[in-house]
Amino acid sequence: MKEQVARNIQSYRKEKGLTQDGLAQRLGVSYQAVSKWETAHSLPDLALLPELARLLEVSVDRLLGYGAGDRNVTLYEEAYRASEDYYWGTEPNEACFKVLRLAPPARRLKLLDIGCGEGKDAVFFARNGYETSAFDVTDAGVEKTRRLAERTGVRVDAFKADVNDFRPEADYDIYFSSGVLHYIKPDVRQELFSRIKSRTAPGGLHVLNVFVEKPFIAPPPEPEPYAYPWRSGELLAHYHDWLVEDSSEIVFDCDSSGIPHRHAMSTLIARRP
Protein backbone atom coordinates (compact mmCIF):
# COMPACT_ATOMS: atom_id res chain seq x y z
CA MET A 1 0.00 0.00 0.00
CA LYS A 2 2.86 2.42 0.80
CA GLU A 3 4.16 2.24 -2.77
CA GLN A 4 0.68 2.92 -4.19
CA VAL A 5 0.14 5.95 -1.94
CA ALA A 6 3.67 7.22 -2.70
CA ARG A 7 3.04 7.13 -6.45
CA ASN A 8 -0.33 8.83 -6.07
CA ILE A 9 0.96 11.68 -3.89
CA GLN A 10 3.82 12.36 -6.29
CA SER A 11 1.61 12.19 -9.39
CA TYR A 12 -1.14 14.44 -8.05
CA ARG A 13 1.37 16.89 -6.55
CA LYS A 14 3.03 17.29 -9.94
CA GLU A 15 -0.38 17.72 -11.62
CA LYS A 16 -1.00 20.68 -9.32
CA GLY A 17 2.43 22.15 -10.12
CA LEU A 18 3.57 21.89 -6.50
CA THR A 19 7.09 21.15 -5.30
CA GLN A 20 7.63 18.91 -2.29
CA ASP A 21 8.48 22.01 -0.27
CA GLY A 22 5.41 23.86 -1.52
CA LEU A 23 3.12 20.99 -0.50
CA ALA A 24 4.89 20.68 2.84
CA GLN A 25 4.38 24.38 3.63
CA ARG A 26 0.67 24.19 2.90
CA LEU A 27 0.33 21.15 5.14
CA GLY A 28 2.53 22.53 7.91
CA VAL A 29 5.02 19.65 7.73
CA SER A 30 8.66 19.40 6.68
CA TYR A 31 9.62 18.77 3.07
CA GLN A 32 11.48 15.70 4.38
CA ALA A 33 8.13 14.29 5.47
CA VAL A 34 6.71 14.72 1.95
CA SER A 35 9.85 13.18 0.50
CA LYS A 36 9.43 10.12 2.76
CA TRP A 37 5.81 9.77 1.66
CA GLU A 38 6.82 9.82 -2.00
CA THR A 39 9.62 7.29 -1.52
CA ALA A 40 7.32 4.95 0.45
CA HIS A 41 9.38 5.25 3.63
CA SER A 42 6.34 6.41 5.59
CA LEU A 43 2.64 7.23 5.25
CA PRO A 44 0.91 10.54 6.04
CA ASP A 45 -0.76 10.74 9.43
CA LEU A 46 -4.45 9.93 9.28
CA ALA A 47 -5.28 13.44 10.51
CA LEU A 48 -3.49 14.91 7.48
CA LEU A 49 -5.25 12.85 4.82
CA PRO A 50 -8.39 15.04 4.38
CA GLU A 51 -6.31 18.22 3.96
CA LEU A 52 -3.79 16.48 1.70
CA ALA A 53 -6.62 15.17 -0.51
CA ARG A 54 -8.21 18.64 -0.60
CA LEU A 55 -4.96 20.29 -1.69
CA LEU A 56 -4.45 17.70 -4.42
CA GLU A 57 -8.15 17.92 -5.43
CA VAL A 58 -8.86 14.19 -5.15
CA SER A 59 -10.84 12.07 -2.73
CA VAL A 60 -9.12 10.28 0.14
CA ASP A 61 -10.14 6.96 -1.47
CA ARG A 62 -8.50 7.94 -4.73
CA LEU A 63 -5.38 9.15 -2.95
CA LEU A 64 -5.10 5.76 -1.25
CA GLY A 65 -5.62 3.94 -4.55
CA TYR A 66 -9.14 2.63 -4.00
CA GLY A 67 -10.56 3.29 -7.44
CA ALA A 68 -11.83 6.29 -9.32
CA GLY A 69 -13.09 8.18 -6.29
CA ASP A 70 -14.90 11.43 -6.98
CA ARG A 71 -14.48 11.69 -10.75
CA ASN A 72 -16.19 9.97 -13.64
CA VAL A 73 -13.26 8.93 -15.81
CA THR A 74 -15.27 7.21 -18.52
CA LEU A 75 -18.63 7.62 -20.18
CA TYR A 76 -19.24 3.86 -20.03
CA GLU A 77 -20.44 3.65 -16.42
CA GLU A 78 -23.90 4.78 -17.48
CA ALA A 79 -23.79 2.85 -20.75
CA TYR A 80 -23.03 -0.42 -18.96
CA ARG A 81 -25.69 0.20 -16.34
CA ALA A 82 -28.39 1.26 -18.78
CA SER A 83 -29.22 -2.26 -19.95
CA GLU A 84 -29.03 -5.89 -18.90
CA ASP A 85 -27.55 -6.53 -22.33
CA TYR A 86 -23.82 -6.25 -22.88
CA TYR A 87 -22.77 -3.00 -24.56
CA TRP A 88 -19.88 -4.64 -26.44
CA GLY A 89 -21.56 -8.03 -26.72
CA THR A 90 -20.11 -11.22 -25.27
CA GLU A 91 -17.92 -12.43 -28.15
CA PRO A 92 -14.17 -12.14 -27.48
CA ASN A 93 -11.85 -9.66 -29.15
CA GLU A 94 -9.88 -11.07 -32.07
CA ALA A 95 -6.66 -10.47 -30.13
CA CYS A 96 -7.76 -13.08 -27.58
CA PHE A 97 -7.14 -15.82 -30.13
CA LYS A 98 -3.59 -14.53 -30.63
CA VAL A 99 -3.01 -15.04 -26.91
CA LEU A 100 -4.28 -18.61 -27.23
CA ARG A 101 -1.92 -19.27 -30.11
CA LEU A 102 1.18 -17.63 -28.63
CA ALA A 103 0.74 -18.64 -24.98
CA PRO A 104 -1.57 -21.66 -24.76
CA PRO A 105 -2.43 -22.61 -21.16
CA ALA A 106 -0.68 -25.99 -21.24
CA ARG A 107 0.50 -25.05 -17.74
CA ARG A 108 -0.84 -22.66 -15.11
CA LEU A 109 -0.71 -19.16 -16.58
CA LYS A 110 -1.82 -16.03 -14.72
CA LEU A 111 -3.45 -13.38 -16.92
CA LEU A 112 -4.52 -9.83 -16.11
CA ASP A 113 -7.08 -8.02 -18.27
CA ILE A 114 -6.46 -4.28 -17.86
CA GLY A 115 -9.71 -2.36 -18.33
CA CYS A 116 -11.96 -5.36 -18.84
CA GLY A 117 -15.19 -3.46 -19.52
CA GLU A 118 -18.07 -5.90 -19.03
CA GLY A 119 -15.76 -8.89 -19.04
CA LYS A 120 -16.24 -10.62 -22.38
CA ASP A 121 -12.50 -11.13 -22.97
CA ALA A 122 -11.71 -11.99 -19.34
CA VAL A 123 -14.43 -14.65 -19.32
CA PHE A 124 -13.13 -16.05 -22.61
CA PHE A 125 -9.68 -16.44 -21.09
CA ALA A 126 -11.03 -18.08 -17.95
CA ARG A 127 -13.15 -20.43 -20.04
CA ASN A 128 -10.04 -21.50 -21.91
CA GLY A 129 -8.01 -22.35 -18.83
CA TYR A 130 -6.15 -19.18 -17.83
CA GLU A 131 -6.08 -18.07 -14.19
CA THR A 132 -7.74 -14.76 -14.92
CA SER A 133 -7.86 -11.49 -13.03
CA ALA A 134 -9.48 -8.37 -14.48
CA PHE A 135 -10.21 -4.82 -13.43
CA ASP A 136 -12.21 -1.89 -14.69
CA VAL A 137 -12.83 1.64 -13.48
CA THR A 138 -16.63 1.23 -13.72
CA ASP A 139 -18.69 -0.38 -10.98
CA ALA A 140 -21.19 -1.60 -13.56
CA GLY A 141 -18.45 -3.18 -15.66
CA VAL A 142 -17.05 -5.11 -12.70
CA GLU A 143 -20.53 -6.25 -11.68
CA LYS A 144 -21.34 -7.46 -15.20
CA THR A 145 -17.97 -9.20 -15.50
CA ARG A 146 -18.71 -11.18 -12.34
CA ARG A 147 -22.22 -11.93 -13.57
CA LEU A 148 -21.00 -13.15 -16.96
CA ALA A 149 -18.34 -15.33 -15.33
CA GLU A 150 -20.92 -16.87 -12.99
CA ARG A 151 -23.31 -17.47 -15.86
CA THR A 152 -20.54 -19.11 -17.88
CA GLY A 153 -19.42 -21.25 -14.96
CA VAL A 154 -15.88 -19.90 -14.66
CA ARG A 155 -13.94 -17.89 -12.09
CA VAL A 156 -12.63 -14.39 -12.80
CA ASP A 157 -11.09 -12.31 -10.04
CA ALA A 158 -12.77 -9.05 -11.05
CA PHE A 159 -12.15 -5.85 -9.12
CA LYS A 160 -12.43 -2.09 -9.48
CA ALA A 161 -9.34 0.01 -10.20
CA ASP A 162 -8.21 2.97 -12.28
CA VAL A 163 -5.43 2.18 -14.77
CA ASN A 164 -3.66 5.40 -13.73
CA ASP A 165 -3.44 4.27 -10.10
CA PHE A 166 -3.17 0.49 -10.27
CA ARG A 167 0.25 -1.14 -10.03
CA PRO A 168 0.48 -4.94 -9.79
CA GLU A 169 1.98 -6.36 -6.62
CA ALA A 170 2.29 -9.89 -8.09
CA ASP A 171 3.73 -11.28 -11.31
CA TYR A 172 1.54 -12.27 -14.26
CA ASP A 173 2.40 -14.37 -17.28
CA ILE A 174 0.16 -12.37 -19.59
CA TYR A 175 -1.09 -8.78 -19.63
CA PHE A 176 -3.97 -8.06 -21.99
CA SER A 177 -5.62 -4.71 -22.70
CA SER A 178 -7.91 -3.55 -25.48
CA GLY A 179 -9.33 -0.07 -26.01
CA VAL A 180 -8.22 1.29 -22.62
CA LEU A 181 -4.69 2.66 -22.73
CA HIS A 182 -5.79 6.07 -24.04
CA TYR A 183 -6.96 6.80 -20.48
CA ILE A 184 -3.38 6.69 -19.18
CA LYS A 185 -2.02 10.15 -18.42
CA PRO A 186 1.17 10.98 -20.34
CA ASP A 187 3.16 11.74 -17.19
CA VAL A 188 2.60 8.27 -15.67
CA ARG A 189 3.08 6.14 -18.79
CA GLN A 190 6.80 5.47 -18.41
CA GLU A 191 6.47 4.49 -14.75
CA LEU A 192 3.37 2.38 -15.37
CA PHE A 193 4.85 0.37 -18.24
CA SER A 194 8.11 -0.10 -16.35
CA ARG A 195 6.09 -1.48 -13.45
CA ILE A 196 4.00 -3.97 -15.41
CA LYS A 197 7.05 -5.08 -17.39
CA SER A 198 8.94 -5.75 -14.16
CA ARG A 199 5.90 -7.65 -12.85
CA THR A 200 5.85 -10.02 -15.83
CA ALA A 201 7.16 -13.58 -15.53
CA PRO A 202 10.16 -14.48 -17.74
CA GLY A 203 8.89 -15.32 -21.21
CA GLY A 204 5.61 -13.57 -20.41
CA LEU A 205 3.47 -11.86 -23.02
CA HIS A 206 1.90 -8.41 -23.35
CA VAL A 207 -0.95 -8.10 -25.86
CA LEU A 208 -2.06 -4.46 -26.04
CA ASN A 209 -3.63 -1.86 -28.27
CA VAL A 210 -4.20 1.88 -28.11
CA PHE A 211 -6.04 4.46 -30.21
CA VAL A 212 -3.70 6.85 -32.02
CA GLU A 213 -4.39 10.25 -33.51
CA LYS A 214 -4.29 10.71 -37.28
CA PRO A 215 -4.85 14.01 -39.13
CA PHE A 216 -7.08 12.29 -41.70
CA ILE A 217 -9.46 10.77 -39.11
CA ALA A 218 -11.99 12.95 -37.30
CA PRO A 219 -12.19 12.75 -33.49
CA PRO A 220 -14.72 10.14 -32.28
CA PRO A 221 -18.23 11.40 -31.54
CA GLU A 222 -18.22 10.16 -27.93
CA PRO A 223 -17.13 12.82 -25.41
CA GLU A 224 -14.02 11.50 -23.63
CA PRO A 225 -12.79 14.24 -21.24
CA TYR A 226 -10.31 11.90 -19.55
CA ALA A 227 -8.78 10.39 -22.69
CA TYR A 228 -5.27 11.44 -23.72
CA PRO A 229 -3.68 11.38 -27.19
CA TRP A 230 -1.16 8.77 -28.33
CA ARG A 231 1.04 8.92 -31.41
CA SER A 232 2.08 6.20 -33.82
CA GLY A 233 5.03 4.25 -32.46
CA GLU A 234 4.64 5.54 -28.91
CA LEU A 235 3.39 2.23 -27.49
CA LEU A 236 6.13 0.30 -29.30
CA ALA A 237 8.80 2.58 -27.82
CA HIS A 238 8.01 1.31 -24.33
CA TYR A 239 9.07 -2.19 -25.46
CA HIS A 240 12.38 -1.48 -27.19
CA ASP A 241 14.11 -3.94 -24.83
CA TRP A 242 11.61 -6.79 -25.35
CA LEU A 243 11.07 -9.23 -28.20
CA VAL A 244 8.37 -7.65 -30.37
CA GLU A 245 6.36 -10.45 -31.95
CA ASP A 246 3.94 -8.16 -33.75
CA SER A 247 3.46 -4.41 -34.10
CA SER A 248 1.00 -2.97 -36.56
CA GLU A 249 -1.40 -0.12 -37.14
CA ILE A 250 -4.95 -0.48 -38.36
CA VAL A 251 -7.86 1.78 -39.30
CA PHE A 252 -11.34 0.40 -38.71
CA ASP A 253 -14.98 1.47 -38.81
CA CYS A 254 -16.99 1.75 -35.59
CA ASP A 255 -20.58 2.61 -34.65
CA SER A 256 -20.45 2.09 -30.87
CA SER A 257 -22.16 5.45 -30.27
CA GLY A 258 -24.76 4.92 -32.98
CA ILE A 259 -22.83 7.33 -35.19
CA PRO A 260 -20.56 5.72 -37.79
CA HIS A 261 -16.95 6.80 -37.37
CA ARG A 262 -13.40 5.49 -37.72
CA HIS A 263 -10.48 4.79 -35.41
CA ALA A 264 -6.76 4.34 -35.94
CA MET A 265 -5.20 1.84 -33.56
CA SER A 266 -1.68 0.65 -32.80
CA THR A 267 -1.43 -3.00 -31.75
CA LEU A 268 1.47 -4.67 -30.01
CA ILE A 269 2.47 -8.17 -28.97
CA ALA A 270 5.73 -8.28 -27.02
CA ARG A 271 7.46 -10.99 -25.01
CA ARG A 272 9.74 -10.58 -22.03
CA PRO A 273 13.15 -12.11 -22.74
Side-chain angles (χ1 to χ4, degrees):
M1 179 181 179
K2 280 186 179 180
E3 291 184 357
Q4 179 75 70
V5 175
R7 285 189 293 268
N8 288 348
I9 292 174
Q10 183 180 69
S11 175
Y12 296 134
R13 172 180 64 77
K14 289 181 177 179
E15 276 189 21
K16 300 303 296 177
L18 290 169
T19 63
Q20 288 184 343
D21 188 51
L23 180 60
Q25 289 184 28
R26 296 192 183 195
L27 288 169
V29 300
S30 68
Y31 78 88
Q32 291 95 335
V34 176
S35 177
K36 287 181 179 180
W37 300 342
E38 294 189 358
T39 55
H41 284 93
S42 66
L43 289 169
D45 291 337
L46 287 175
L48 283 175
L49 285 177
E51 180 63 12
L52 178 59
R54 186 190 69 79
L55 287 171
L56 299 179
E57 296 186 3
V58 295
S59 69
V60 172
D61 279 352
R62 188 176 180 86
L63 187 64
L64 297 178
Y66 295 128
D70 55 347
R71 295 193 293 178
N72 291 322
V73 298
T74 173
L75 59 90
Y76 293 111
E77 179 72 65
E78 293 182 7
Y80 294 163
R81 198 173 294 282
S83 172
E84 288 295 311
D85 293 332
Y86 281 69
Y87 185 85
W88 303 109
T90 56
E91 293 299 313
N93 188 302
E94 183 180 327
C96 296
F97 298 99
K98 295 181 180 179
V99 175
L100 271 178
R101 178 173 58 84
L102 292 169
R107 60 180 177 86
R108 176 177 175 265
L109 292 177
K110 294 179 62 178
L111 181 148
L112 178 65
D113 186 347
I114 298 173
C116 63
E118 299 166 297
K120 62 184 181 64
D121 296 334
V123 169
F124 170 85
F125 289 126
R127 195 172 74 233
N128 280 278
Y130 297 92
E131 185 178 319
T132 306
S133 299
F135 71 81
D136 199 77
V137 74
T138 63
D139 289 302
V142 173
E143 291 169 9
K144 293 177 87 170
T145 296
R146 292 170 178 165
R147 195 183 314 155
L148 183 60
E150 182 177 1
R151 192 174 79 195
T152 309
V154 298
R155 184 181 183 280
V156 173
D157 177 20
F159 57 97
K160 180 178 178 179
D162 186 331
V163 67
N164 284 287
D165 299 333
F166 177 77
R167 301 295 183 273
E169 299 297 335
D171 287 356
Y172 291 89
D173 298 284
I174 302 164
Y175 286 83
F176 178 89
S177 183
S178 181
V180 173
L181 301 185
H182 56 295
Y183 291 115
I184 301 174
K185 300 171 184 175
D187 63 342
V188 302
R189 288 175 189 169
Q190 183 61 52
E191 187 269 334
L192 186 152
F193 281 101
S194 294
R195 178 69 173 181
I196 65 173
K197 287 167 66 181
S198 70
R199 280 299 190 174
T200 303
L205 202 66
H206 287 195
V207 179
L208 314 170
N209 62 50
V210 65
F211 297 114
V212 293
E213 290 191 334
K214 292 292 184 182
F216 54 85
I217 296 179
E222 302 100 329
E224 288 277 24
Y226 296 111
Y228 301 89
W230 284 70
R231 297 186 182 278
S232 296
E234 186 177 351
L235 179 60
L236 176 62
H238 288 286
Y239 289 85
H240 65 91
D241 53 344
W242 280 31
L243 173 63
V244 176
E245 303 222 358
D246 183 40
S247 177
S248 58
E249 194 165 273
I250 59 174
V251 175
F252 62 94
D253 296 321
C254 182
D255 62 356
S256 61
S257 62
I259 303 173
H261 57 282
R262 303 168 80 205
H263 291 290
M265 176 174 278
S266 287
T267 65
L268 176 80
I269 301 176
R271 191 180 296 275
R272 181 173 184 175

